[in-house]
Amino acid sequence: MSQPWQRRLCLGDPGTGSQAGAAGSERDLGGHGIKRTRNQGGYRLVGGLLLLPLLAPALRAQQQQFMEYVERRLTLLEERISQWHDQSSRYSTELRDFKNQVLGMLEAAEKEREAMRAEAEGAAVRVDRLEREVDYLETQNPAPPCVEVDETLMDKQVATAKQRKNEKYTKLTDCSDTIASVRAMKILKRFGSASGLWTKDAAGSSEKIYVFDGTANDTVYVFPRMREFTLFSATRKAARIKLPYPWVGTGHLVYDGHLYYIRQQGPSFQVIKFNLANKTVVDSSVFPAEEQIPVFGLSPSTYIEVSADEEGLWAIYATKEDEKNMCLAKLDPVSLDIEQMWDTPCPRQNAEGAFVVCGALHVVYNTRPPGRARVQCVFDVSGTLAPEDAALAYFPKRYGSHASLKYSPRERQIYAWDDGYQIIYRMEMKKKLEV
């Protein structure tokens, strides 16, 4: 049974009014020394103190749950960090492997490219060899107009040429210049073998450079301009013209879109007229001279030197009939007929080349071993200039002996081939009467 003071503590004093409680007086509770506070705030404080022992376990439980939650979150975060680190390491490894794989593929591609280029070059060589073989087979059965020799026609041409031999020449132009001196020398490069020929079109306006390497070949290299010929050392940059018959010597000429070159057929020699545009033989003619010998004493491979000047085409040659001196002939560029022939006083001995300027033959001489070349003999077909009145023109000192000398009437300069070096000589001219 509850004590009276306990009931009052819990339920209040029924005999006490609200105003008395508000006054905040105190009363003795049953003589036990416990006083009741009349103030309402006092009731709450005492009640809270009594509830603390009851709430402490709950608070501890909540704290424990919070700590466990935090630990779980931290553990999950650590797992995710570890997972990210593993993935990052794996991605780095895969990227490194991919890089190595790409590098390996690039190296393999480069090797394949080199192999394909080598195969392409080999194929080009094989194609070139095949073309040579086909051309050789074609030359075994050449076209009759190009190679068949009409003996009757040849005898007629020789007889006609002999009848007109040493007649006075009627000039086609008013050119009266002759060489006074060699003004300058320009060495462009070294290309090909020791003997050869390089030139431009002596009559046309083309800037193409034509190169004949060697004294017996059938392939002409064509460079589009002087710049390409000077800069490029290899023939891969040049176009190639395959001739139907091989040439002999270095006495060939490019004139008005055609190539005039010398072909040896047994004991006789042919002048071949080759169209450079459509790569066909236009005409050919057996040169009407008997028992020909090398025209220059220092160039034993050249039997006929085809030259061009302001008057047209000329042929310089020599025969056993007068083996000491050279002969000169005027050529018709259309029909290849011999219009006129002359015996010259210019000796073959120690001659290395010759060219024609304004109808006058200029012969270049040298010594053995090679020294300083000079124009030492001049023969004017019109009789205007006597040989003894011509100036002695010296060439600048250079490497060796000239294999070819090609005069360009359009540029007034000479394209020379000297022991594999390509040289340009610029000439200073004077009137024949002033020399």
Side-chain angles (χ1 to χ4, degrees):
M1 182 175 180
S2 301
Q3 297 295 329
W5 63 270
Q6 293 178 337
R7 292 198 300 271
R8 294 190 186 100
L9 178 62
C10 299
L11 301 176
D13 188 1
T16 306
S18 59
Q19 294 180 353
S25 61
E26 296 181 356
R27 294 180 59 187
D28 186 6
L29 299 179
H32 293 283
I34 299 176
K35 297 181 180 180
R36 184 183 61 175
T37 304
R38 307 285 291 198
N39 190 290
Q40 293 297 328
Y43 285 123
R44 288 194 294 271
L45 177 60
V46 174
L49 293 174
L50 294 175
L51 291 174
L52 283 175
L54 299 176
L55 295 177
L59 292 175
R60 285 195 297 270
Q62 290 181 356
Q63 184 179 8
Q64 182 66 26
Q65 292 177 356
F66 178 74
M67 293 300 295
E68 292 176 356
Y69 172 76
V70 171
E71 289 180 358
R72 287 196 302 271
R73 299 296 296 180
L74 290 175
T75 302
L76 182 61
L77 182 61
E78 290 177 352
E79 292 177 355
R80 290 185 177 179
I81 291 174
S82 178
Q83 184 180 3
W84 174 83
H85 185 269
D86 294 340
Q87 292 178 351
S88 177
S89 299
R90 186 172 64 254
Y91 293 156
S92 298
T93 303
E94 292 178 355
L95 181 61
R96 184 168 55 254
D97 294 341
F98 178 72
K99 177 183 177 181
N100 295 334
Q101 184 179 2
V102 170
L103 291 176
M105 294 174 64
L106 290 176
E107 292 178 358
E110 182 67 20
K111 292 180 180 179
E112 291 180 359
R113 187 176 70 86
E114 293 294 334
M116 292 180 63
R117 185 173 65 178
E119 291 179 359
E121 293 178 354
V125 172
R126 291 193 294 271
V127 170
D128 184 67
R129 187 183 300 114
L130 180 61
E131 290 179 352
R132 289 175 179 268
E133 293 176 355
V134 171
D135 292 337
Y136 173 77
L137 293 176
E138 290 179 353
T139 58
Q140 303 307 304
N141 298 295
C146 297
V147 297
E148 284 190 358
V149 179
D150 190 337
E151 298 294 341
T152 303
L153 179 61
M154 180 179 174
D155 294 339
K156 183 178 179 181
Q157 289 179 351
V158 171
T160 303
K162 285 183 177 181
Q163 289 177 1
R164 300 194 59 188
K165 193 170 186 180
N166 298 326
E167 292 182 1
K168 185 177 179 180
Y169 175 73
T170 303
K171 296 185 65 174
L172 303 177
T173 66
D174 58 354
C175 179
S176 60
D177 294 334
T178 186
I179 295 177
S181 63
V182 180
R183 185 175 58 186
M185 175 182 70
K186 183 178 181 181
I187 301 174
L188 294 185
K189 62 184 296 183
R190 187 170 190 176
F191 176 89
S193 56
S195 297
L197 160 71
W198 75 295
T199 184
K200 287 185 179 180
D201 192 324
S205 59
S206 174
E207 294 298 322
K208 293 182 178 180
I209 302 296
Y210 299 89
V211 180
F212 300 73
D213 186 16
T215 59
N217 206 335
D218 60 358
T219 301
V220 181
Y221 299 104
V222 184
F223 293 85
R225 288 178 298 275
M226 184 71 72
R227 180 176 180 273
E228 282 74 9
F229 174 69
T230 305
L231 294 180
F232 300 136
S233 60
T235 57
R236 291 181 298 178
K237 300 293 183 178
R240 300 185 182 188
I241 297 179
K242 189 78 171 178
L243 300 179
Y245 319 112
W247 70 71
V248 60
T250 59
H252 325 298
L253 179 71
V254 178
Y255 186 84
D256 196 20
H258 293 83
L259 168 61
Y260 297 83
Y261 74 97
I262 307 303
R263 177 199 181 197
Q264 185 173 9
Q265 190 177 27
S268 62
F269 293 88
Q270 283 184 298
V271 180
I272 306 295
K273 183 179 180 181
F274 183 82
N275 190 304
L276 294 172
N278 54 29
K279 311 295 187 299
T280 58
V281 174
V282 178
D283 199 358
S284 67
S285 175
V286 176
F287 194 78
E290 299 175 351
E291 297 182 320
Q292 286 185 243
I293 58 177
V295 61
F296 306 126
L298 299 181
S299 299
S301 62
T302 301
Y303 287 81
I304 300 175
E305 174 75 27
V306 183
S307 181
D309 72 341
E310 295 77 4
E311 294 287 317
L313 292 187
W314 304 83
I316 309 167
Y317 64 99
T319 64
K320 285 186 177 181
E321 184 179 355
D322 185 9
E323 61 181 1
K324 292 183 178 181
N325 297 330
M326 300 179 190
C327 299
L328 181 65
K330 186 69 172 64
L331 279 178
D332 184 346
V334 178
S335 63
L336 300 181
D337 291 338
I338 302 296
E339 298 178 349
Q340 201 167 342
M341 304 175 75
W342 295 268
D343 293 328
T344 75
C346 299
R348 295 175 47 252
Q349 186 177 6
N350 293 330
E352 64 177 11
F355 50 89
V356 181
V357 179
C358 292
L361 173 66
H362 294 69
V363 184
V364 180
Y365 293 89
N366 208 323
T367 57
R368 294 180 186 237
R372 191 174 181 185
R374 61 205 177 275
V375 177
Q376 196 169 341
C377 183
V378 178
F379 174 74
D380 189 356
V381 296
S382 63
T384 305
L385 178 66
E388 60 271 11
D389 296 333
L392 182 63
Y394 280 90
F395 285 80
K397 185 174 178 59
R398 51 187 210 295
Y399 297 93
S401 177
H402 290 119
S404 62
L405 295 165
K406 287 300 172 182
Y407 171 70
S408 172
R410 176 166 55 96
E411 299 172 314
R412 291 295 180 95
Q413 61 187 17
I414 293 178
Y415 294 88
W417 191 293
D418 178 10
D419 197 21
Y421 288 89
Q422 288 72 50
I423 304 175
I424 294 178
Y425 294 108
R426 291 182 173 86
M427 320 305 291
E428 184 176 354
M429 300 294 187
K430 287 186 179 182
K431 297 299 181 181
K432 292 181 181 179
L433 298 179
E434 298 178 2
V435 178

